[in-house]
Amino acid sequence: MSGFDWPALMQAGLHGLRLKPAEFWALTPAELRLMLGEAKSHTPLVRSGLEALMRAYPDDNGDVNDG
């Protein structure tokens, strides 16, 4: 089970937001939450977080002339 309350989400999107079905199904869950005013604020990625990601997932593909 996905954990989404599809009937409630469809009610909110199709009736509350007056979206057409194709518009509703084209949205990501994050976009729908934002439109419904439920988006939570996330802390932006700062330099230290980016550096930690770069250390954890290096782009080393063996190409010395990578740009």
Side-chain angles (χ1 to χ4, degrees):
M1 197 74 189
S2 69
F4 287 110
D5 184 355
W6 287 111
L9 290 174
M10 291 174 66
Q11 178 75 21
L14 300 175
H15 295 283
L17 297 173
R18 299 190 186 276
L19 297 171
K20 295 176 183 171
E23 295 169 332
F24 173 82
W25 291 112
L27 293 172
T28 65
E31 291 169 330
L32 182 58
R33 286 181 51 203
L34 179 66
M35 292 177 75
L36 293 171
E38 298 177 10
K40 296 179 182 173
S41 175
H42 294 285
T43 304
L45 183 64
V46 294
R47 184 70 181 184
S48 61
L50 175 61
E51 289 170 350
L53 283 172
M54 290 169 60
R55 281 191 303 275
Y57 302 99
D59 286 337
D60 183 27
N61 59 8
D63 188 4
V64 178
N65 253 347
D66 211 14

